[in-house]
Amino acid sequence: MGRIKFLHFSDLHLGRPLSFIKKGNSFSFYSKFFDELVELIQREGISFLVLAGDIFNSNYIEYRYRLLFKKFLKSINNCNVYYVAGNHDEYSEKFLSFLSSEKNFKVFEKNKISHYTDNGINIYGISFDFKKLGENPFSTLSEDYFLSPAICVLHCNLTDVVSDEHENYYPISIDRLTNFKANCYFALGHIHKYFLKSIDNKVVSYPGSPIPVRSNEVGERYVNIVEYDNGRFSVVKYPVGFRIEELEVKLEHSYSFSDIESILIELESNNSYYIVKFCGEIDAGVYEDLLISKMDLIDNISNIVDINMDNLIVKMDFERFSSPFLNIMKDEFAHLNLEINPKLLKFIRKYGIDIDFERAKKNGFDILSSRIFRDDIK
Ligand SMILES: [Mn+2]
């Protein structure tokens, strides 16, 4: 048996509406991911795939997503795909029946650990089961259970990896997993952040979500390309193309709206998706234009996911004109007592939203006066 490569990914959450993508074009993100994956599988000479659960967001995903996955299986029909269900795509024969005609799709059931053999390697796995969620099925196996190097596919929580966002399902420790005598690759799913630990020819890894399915899943996303050679596993953490980056863009008071448009348009030539966080100073009139055009900019610049204007300091250029009315307004605003609706205040505290009321008041004044005196300036 020669050197082979296989691909491990998990937590794709196919069918999930990616709510932070304002355009609502989640489907195209998933579709592009599969295009990229097919290309990668062919280029790298991948022999088979292991999918460690939460591949589907639920058993009720839209039809077009089911079709997308089925087309993916057909496009790699010389490659077997070994799948365990997670807590989102809970094991269901009824749901999976749409894939029953796909000969390269191999499912691990939830009742007991079973195995397949591919290219001479044994692949073990068991689907997640809500009825036994507190007990990892691998924890009761003897340390010499595997007679030869093995791949183990499992949707579970490593007790060594702390995550507030993921339930403690099928808990097991790294020590327990690395206690097996045979060399093993533990292809895990559930935690959305990349994790890799290699101890004594035992590899434990979460590739994480290959598409950011929550807005806090920023930064590079990965799948694992695992090389198996001479009884050993070695991993290449392979970046895939849909990372979201938080990008701080500092503005200056002298910038026109057209300058800001240019900054945003230039981002389109990059490969990342961006949450643009504006900071610095902005002219009150330009701020207003930006506020009005914000949704159009998000909709029409393909890789801008969101625009955040919370940290901008809005400035009105009072030197350029004078008006008795402006002075009265200024005075009125200085004495204005901002009262927050108690319900709103409760909400703000509950979610720990950081609002600088003094700045909000100042911005409000500058925007209002710019609206009134704009024509005067011109
Ligand atoms: Mn999960």
Side-chain angles (χ1 to χ4, degrees):
M1 173 184 28
R3 193 171 67 97
I4 63 138
K5 277 183 193 171
F6 62 93
L7 196 133
H8 163 209
F9 72 90
S10 74
D11 298 275
L12 182 60
H13 287 269
L14 189 61
R16 188 160 174 144
L18 304 170
S19 57
F20 54 92
I21 297 166
K22 296 288 190 289
K23 283 170 90 174
N25 63 350
S26 307
F27 183 80
S28 71
F29 275 66
Y30 286 105
S31 172
K32 277 186 216 161
F33 171 75
F34 281 120
D35 288 347
E36 189 184 1
L37 209 59
V38 170
E39 208 260 319
L40 178 67
I41 288 163
Q42 285 161 358
R43 189 173 28 144
E44 290 287 326
I46 298 293
S47 297
F48 57 86
L49 276 67
V50 291
L51 271 47
D54 285 1
I55 299 305
F56 308 103
N57 194 47
S58 79
N59 292 346
Y60 304 96
I61 54 170
E62 281 176 60
Y63 176 74
R64 57 179 174 158
Y65 287 102
R66 291 198 290 174
L67 202 59
L68 181 67
F69 190 77
K70 195 161 177 159
K71 279 160 76 176
F72 166 67
L73 288 179
K74 286 188 189 297
S75 64
I76 54 158
N77 62 2
N78 53 350
C79 231
N80 281 344
V81 174
Y82 299 93
Y83 161 87
V84 300
N87 56 304
H88 277 264
D89 47 1
E90 194 181 352
Y91 180 83
S92 155
E93 274 177 37
K94 189 174 173 238
F95 168 66
L96 293 171
S97 64
F98 79 100
L99 298 169
S100 60
S101 58
E102 303 316 302
K103 299 284 174 279
N104 60 335
F105 188 63
K106 312 283 185 189
V107 182
F108 292 98
E109 294 180 9
K110 64 174 178 178
N111 303 324
K112 61 175 195 338
I113 294 170
S114 55
H115 81 276
Y116 296 94
T117 305
D118 196 313
N119 278 273
I121 311 172
N122 288 332
I123 306 161
Y124 295 81
I126 182 167
S127 279
F128 177 74
D129 186 354
F130 270 104
K131 288 203 183 94
K132 300 167 194 157
L133 56 87
E135 191 187 321
N136 193 299
F138 278 69
S139 62
T140 53
L141 302 179
S142 70
E143 59 185 38
D144 50 11
Y145 182 83
F146 306 113
L147 301 173
S148 56
I151 298 164
C152 304
V153 195
L154 201 54
H155 194 80
C156 71
N157 189 49
L158 273 185
T159 51
D160 315 69
V161 180
V162 182
S163 170
D164 303 337
E165 285 167 349
H166 300 95
E167 293 81 358
N168 196 16
Y169 291 148
Y170 273 5
I172 197 158
S173 69
I174 294 172
D175 276 356
R176 182 65 194 82
L177 288 178
T178 54
N179 203 31
F180 288 106
K181 283 183 179 162
N183 294 351
C184 293
Y185 177 82
F186 294 98
L188 306 184
H190 190 42
I191 305 291
H192 288 197
K193 198 171 168 1
Y194 192 89
F195 177 87
L196 178 92
K197 190 122 192 169
S198 185
I199 302 169
D200 193 21
N201 289 325
K202 258 79 70 173
V203 182
V204 181
S205 184
Y206 288 109
S209 50
I211 287 182
V213 295
R214 297 185 182 103
S215 52
N216 62 351
E217 293 174 11
V218 293
E220 200 90 76
R221 317 308 305 167
Y222 302 96
V223 297
N224 272 346
I225 294 177
V226 188
E227 199 174 284
Y228 176 74
D229 189 15
N230 225 351
R232 286 166 186 253
F233 299 96
S234 56
V235 181
V236 173
K237 180 183 178 185
Y238 194 91
V240 282
F242 298 101
R243 66 188 180 276
I244 292 177
E245 283 174 28
E246 286 186 325
L247 183 74
E248 204 173 74
V249 177
K250 194 164 188 285
L251 301 182
E252 284 169 31
H253 186 217
S254 62
Y255 285 11
S256 67
F257 180 66
S258 173
D259 291 335
I260 296 170
E261 278 177 337
S262 299
I263 292 171
L264 296 174
I265 291 166
E266 268 168 43
L267 289 176
E268 208 168 27
S269 58
N270 300 354
N271 217 4
S272 287
Y273 288 80
Y274 294 105
I275 296 172
V276 175
K277 291 191 156 185
F278 283 125
C279 63
E281 293 183 353
I282 186 167
D283 176 77
V286 176
Y287 181 86
E288 232 198 306
D289 288 342
L290 186 57
L291 204 61
I292 292 163
S293 313
K294 182 177 144 174
M295 291 315 294
D296 280 336
L297 287 164
I298 293 169
D299 282 350
N300 293 294
I301 300 176
S302 61
N303 59 342
I304 292 185
V305 167
D306 199 7
I307 295 173
N308 182 309
M309 297 164 65
D310 295 349
N311 292 325
L312 275 174
I313 296 165
V314 184
K315 282 229 163 152
M316 177 72 185
D317 190 0
F318 293 111
E319 304 304 313
R320 288 154 71 185
F321 67 100
S322 69
S323 155
F325 181 58
L326 180 69
N327 291 333
I328 297 165
M329 253 182 75
K330 234 178 189 173
D331 205 43
E332 282 298 311
F333 256 77
H335 295 101
L336 186 70
N337 193 9
L338 260 190
E339 279 206 32
I340 312 288
N341 176 319
K343 266 189 188 165
L344 179 63
L345 199 61
K346 209 173 139 191
F347 178 86
I348 288 167
R349 293 212 176 107
K350 184 178 171 192
Y351 292 98
I353 298 167
D354 194 17
I355 294 181
D356 181 342
F357 289 107
E358 278 311 305
R359 192 205 280 174
K361 196 168 134 182
K362 170 85 175 57
N363 283 356
F365 171 70
D366 283 2
I367 293 160
L368 189 62
S369 45
S370 113
R371 183 166 296 179
I372 294 168
F373 298 106
R374 254 180 122 167
D375 293 337
D376 288 8
I377 301 172
K378 290 168 191 164

